[in-house]
């Protein structure tokens, strides 16, 4: 972003890395280099000498006197052998392994992605002063707006917890004692089971809708709670705070269409009608002094955008 001090509170790492490899040349996570050196020095010198002397002195005497014979033999052998061997041997072996690891932080990859999108003119600016006519489905946008606290998941979760805390059997007894809703097939047991099941549908994969207000335009973000930075406690702690979102538009609605906040259930109209049929039960709770969670709208009507966010800063 333009301001280095902006606080990144949401980042879809998977989308960031995948898009980063498409928009730019990719990135190197690890580089390893090895340097191996072998040195051997050998030297050898030798001196060998040999000196041999052989001498023989032989004397033979033969006397016939008395048939006596005398032999005298003298032999002298001298052998001199000199050997001088010298050897010098040197060995040098060096193995140097150098590993250089370069790991880009996710924030750096995110910055590279934004820079690549801007350089390729693939990202459009959108704010309260912009016209929705310039935006189309499939565009990458950088929008500025305010975070709202409007949440269907929060409402359904609060309602389910309220019914569970009060006890559906107790609530049914109250209605039966006052002879109200005796002929209705929808009681608090039915309501609680349906609401609890609806909550499980709306929170599949730990995702939910988040609504950003850009002037008169509502932008619905499909966020995943796992992508919020761990140091940031809750997605609605920044309620009414200005934020900047980078994402991709997957749907654009005109004045004749709407974005249904129960669409994730796959049966948006059914559950909308069911919750409407539970209005008498809700009114009964209210008349008994039980404060109810504020019901949000089921649909975002008129000109609006449905966006898959890549990142969000405040």
């Amino acid at each position: 972003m333009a301001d280095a001090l902006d606080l990144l509170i949401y980042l879809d790492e998977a989308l960031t890395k995948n898009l980063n490899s498409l928009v730019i040349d990719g990135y190197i996570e690890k580089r390893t280099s090895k340097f191996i050196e072998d040195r051997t020095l050998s030297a050898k010198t030798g001196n060998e000498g040999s000196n041999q002397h052989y001498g023989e002195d032989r004397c033979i005497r033969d006397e016939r006197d008395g048939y006596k014979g005398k032999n005298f033999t003298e032999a002298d052998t001298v052998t001199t052998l000199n050997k001088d061997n010298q050897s010098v041997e040197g060995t040098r072996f060096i193995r140097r392994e150098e590993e250089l690891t370069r790991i880009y932080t996710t924030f750096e990859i995110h910055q590279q992605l934004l820079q690549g999108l801007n350089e390729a003119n693939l990202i459009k600016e959108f704010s309260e002063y912009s016209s929705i006519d310039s935006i189309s489905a499939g565009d990458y946008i950088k929008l500025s707006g305010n975070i709202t606290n409007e949440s269907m998941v929060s409402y359904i979760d609060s309602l389910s917890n309220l019914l569970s805390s009060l006890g559906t059997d107790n609530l049914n007894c109250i209605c039966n004692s006052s002879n109200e809703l005796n002929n209705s097939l929808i009681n608090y047991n039915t309501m609680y089971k349906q609401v609890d099941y609806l909550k499980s549908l709306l929170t599949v994969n730990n995702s939910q809708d988040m609504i950003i207000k850009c002037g008169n335009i509502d932008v619905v973000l499909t966020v995943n709670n796992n992508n919020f930075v761990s140091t940031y406690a809750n997605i609605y702690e920044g309620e009414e705070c200005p934020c900047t979102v980078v994402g991709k538009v997957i749907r654009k609605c005109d004045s004749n269409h709407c974005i249904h906040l129960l669409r994730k259930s796959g049966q948006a109209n059914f559950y909308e009608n069911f919750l409407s049929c539970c209005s008498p039960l809700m009114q009964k709770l209210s008349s008994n002094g039980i404060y109810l969670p504020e019901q949000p709208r089921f649909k975002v009507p008129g000109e609006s955008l449905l966006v898959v966010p890549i990142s969000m800063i405040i």
Side-chain angles (χ1 to χ4, degrees), residues 71-89:
N71 294 326
F72 177 78
T73 301
E74 183 180 352
D76 186 12
T77 301
V78 178
T79 301
T80 302
L81 180 63
N82 296 321
K83 289 185 178 182
D84 184 8
N85 291 324
Q86 297 180 358
S87 178
V88 176
E89 181 175 350

Side-chain angles (χ1 to χ4, degrees), residues 65 67 145 206:
D65 185 11
Y67 299 98
N206 204 20

Side-chain angles (χ1 to χ4, degrees), residues 220-240:
V220 180
L221 306 179
T222 304
V223 300
N224 191 300
N225 295 330
N226 296 327
N227 294 330
F228 282 92
V229 177
S230 58
T231 56
Y232 197 73
N234 188 277
I235 65 175
Y236 293 111
E237 287 190 1
E239 177 187 348
E240 302 301 331

Side-chain angles (χ1 to χ4, degrees), residues 13 17 114 128-130 170 172 195 212 215 218 223 240 265:
E13 294 188 23
K17 290 181 179 180
L114 296 185
E128 58 180 320
Y129 306 107
S130 305
N170 294 332
N172 287 329
V195 168
I212 304 295
D218 289 324
V223 300
E240 302 301 331
S265 67

Side-chain angles (χ1 to χ4, degrees), residues 36 44 57 62 93 113 165 183 212 223 232 257 275 286 308:
I36 300 175
K44 192 173 187 180
D57 187 6
D62 189 4
F93 179 78
L113 174 61
S165 300
N183 297 325
I212 304 295
V223 300
Y232 197 73
H257 297 85
L275 292 175
S286 180
V308 174

Side-chain angles (χ1 to χ4, degrees), residues 1-7 110-111 114-115 118 125 142 244 246 313:
M1 298 299 178
D3 192 348
L5 296 179
D6 285 338
L7 179 61
H110 172 254
Q111 188 66 28
L114 296 185
Q115 183 177 354
N118 285 323
E125 301 277 347
K142 177 183 174 182
T244 301
V246 176
I313 66 169

Side-chain angles (χ1 to χ4, degrees), residues 176-242:
N176 293 334
S177 62
S178 59
N179 295 323
E180 296 182 18
L181 307 177
N182 287 336
N183 297 325
S184 176
L185 295 177
I186 300 179
N187 55 26
Y188 287 104
N189 285 329
T190 306
M191 180 180 177
Y192 171 71
K193 291 180 180 180
Q194 287 294 329
V195 168
D196 191 61
Y197 181 66
L198 177 59
K199 182 181 72 172
S200 68
L201 294 178
L202 296 181
T203 56
V204 170
N205 294 330
N206 204 20
S207 63
Q208 61 177 301
D209 288 335
M210 185 176 187
I211 299 179
I212 304 295
K213 196 75 173 179
C214 297
N216 296 325
I217 304 298
D218 289 324
V219 179
V220 180
L221 306 179
T222 304
V223 300
N224 191 300
N225 295 330
N226 296 327
N227 294 330
F228 282 92
V229 177
S230 58
T231 56
Y232 197 73
N234 188 277
I235 65 175
Y236 293 111
E237 287 190 1
E239 177 187 348
E240 302 301 331
C241 293

